[in-house]
Amino acid sequence: MLHLRLIIPPTRTDEAIGVLEGCPGVTNLVVLPGAAREPLGDVILCDSARESANEVLSKLKWLENEGSIAVEQVDLSLSKVADEAVEEAPGEPDDAVVWEDLAQKVSTDSRVTWAYLAFLAIATQLAGIGVLQNSPILIVGAMVLGPEFGAVTAICFGLLQRRGHLIVTAMRTLVIGFLVAIAITYACALVSHWWGWIDYHNLDSNVEVQFIVKPDRWSFIVALLAGAAGVLSITAGKSSALVGVFISVTTVPAAGYVAVAAAVSDWKEVAPSVSQLGGNILGMVISGTVTLVVQRKFWPQVGRRSSI
C-alpha cells in the first residue's frame, strides 16, 4: 500500500474526492477541511494499492501547481479494507511500476553529488586494492559499494521517455564519476609504486581477478541480465535483489584495474579493462531500457493510465 497526503484548494476538494472514490484500490479516505496552512487548503489522506497509484496520480496531476501531493510507502497495514482494496486493484503489487516515483528517483540519481563521487572513489580504491591483493572478497565489496547503477537507470528511463536532457545528465554523471574515481585511485597507486609497495608483477600474479580484464560474450550476457534484474528490482522496490545486481557486473573493478595498471605502467592491461567497463554499462543500458519498454507496453495493468 501507498499512503497519500493531498493539499487541495477548497474549490476543488469535491473534484479530488470524486477522483479518489472512483479509482479502484483507494481506501481509508480522510478529509480535513481547512487543515492546511502552507499552502492554504483542505487536506485529504488516503491509502492506495500500488497498482492504482498511476491512475490516481495521473488524474490529480493538476495538484502539482495548485496544491501538493506526497506519497510514502506503507510498511505495515493491518486492515481488512486495505486488503480488499489491493484485491480490487488490477494486477499484482510487485508488477506495478509507479512511474512518478521512478521519474523522481532517476532524476535524483542522475546528478553529480559529493556523496556519489565519494562512494564511487572509495569503491574504486577498494577494487584497486583487491586487484593488487588478488582478493575476490575485496572486489565483491567494491561492487556492492559502487553507486553507478542509479545513473544507468536514469539513462534507461531517459531513452524510454525520450528525455534528452536526462540522458545527457546521467551520462555526464557516469563519466565524471568514473574519471574522478580512476584519477584518485591512480594517484594513490602511483604513490604506492614510488614507495616500492607495488609494481607490474602484482598484476601478473592476480589470476583470481583476471575475469576483470578478459571481457567476452559471457561478460556482455551477464551485463544484460544484470541490467534487466536491476531495473526490475528498482521498479518493484526489491532492494535485496539490487545488491545481487551490483555483485554481478564488473564496472567498478574494471575502473580500479585501469587505475592500478596505469600507475605501474602495465599498459597492455588498460585497454581490456576499459572495454570491460564500457561493455558492462552498454549491456545494462540496453537490457534496462528493454525491460522498461516491456513493463510499459505489455503489462497494461502496470501503466495503462500513467501520464509519464
Side-chain angles (χ1 to χ4, degrees), residues 218-231:
W218 297 111
S219 302
F220 193 69
I221 291 173
V222 168
L224 290 173
L225 294 173
V231 168

Side-chain angles (χ1 to χ4, degrees), residues 143 148-149 152-153 156 211 215-232 242 244-252 275-291:
M143 289 173 168
E148 74 280 3
F149 192 77
V152 172
T153 307
C156 297
F211 65 92
D216 54 24
R217 70 188 71 178
W218 297 111
S219 302
F220 193 69
I221 291 173
V222 168
L224 290 173
L225 294 173
V231 168
L232 284 172
L242 194 57
V245 172
F246 294 157
I247 299 174
S248 300
V249 290
T250 54
T251 48
V252 167
S275 176
Q276 181 79 286
L277 174 60
N280 273 278
I281 292 175
L282 177 62
M284 288 190 292
V285 167
I286 292 173
S287 61
T289 304
V290 171
T291 301

Side-chain angles (χ1 to χ4, degrees), residues 10-125:
T11 56
R12 305 196 68 175
T13 298
D14 290 340
E15 177 185 346
I17 293 173
V19 168
L20 295 172
E21 290 179 338
C23 291
V26 176
T27 188
N28 297 330
L29 184 61
V30 178
V31 181
L32 303 173
R37 292 293 178 267
E38 182 58 41
L40 288 173
D42 300 334
V43 175
I44 295 180
L45 308 175
C46 66
D47 293 332
S48 170
R50 184 180 177 88
E51 311 92 292
S52 301
N54 286 323
E55 181 177 355
V56 172
L57 295 176
S58 177
K59 291 183 176 180
L60 295 176
K61 188 80 171 177
W62 49 269
L63 274 176
E64 286 189 32
N65 298 319
E66 299 185 38
S68 173
I69 304 178
V71 182
E72 59 185 6
Q73 179 71 39
V74 177
D75 294 325
L76 177 63
S77 178
L78 302 177
S79 168
K80 181 179 178 180
V81 294
D83 293 339
E84 292 173 347
V86 172
E87 290 296 325
E88 181 186 16
E92 296 294 331
D94 285 349
D95 292 339
V97 182
V98 183
W99 294 102
E100 289 281 2
D101 180 48
L102 181 60
Q104 191 169 77
K105 283 181 181 178
V106 299
S107 177
T108 300
D109 291 342
S110 67
R111 302 169 187 165
V112 178
T113 64
W114 287 112
Y116 169 82
L117 293 176
F119 275 117
L120 191 54
I122 293 171
T124 305
Q125 289 184 75

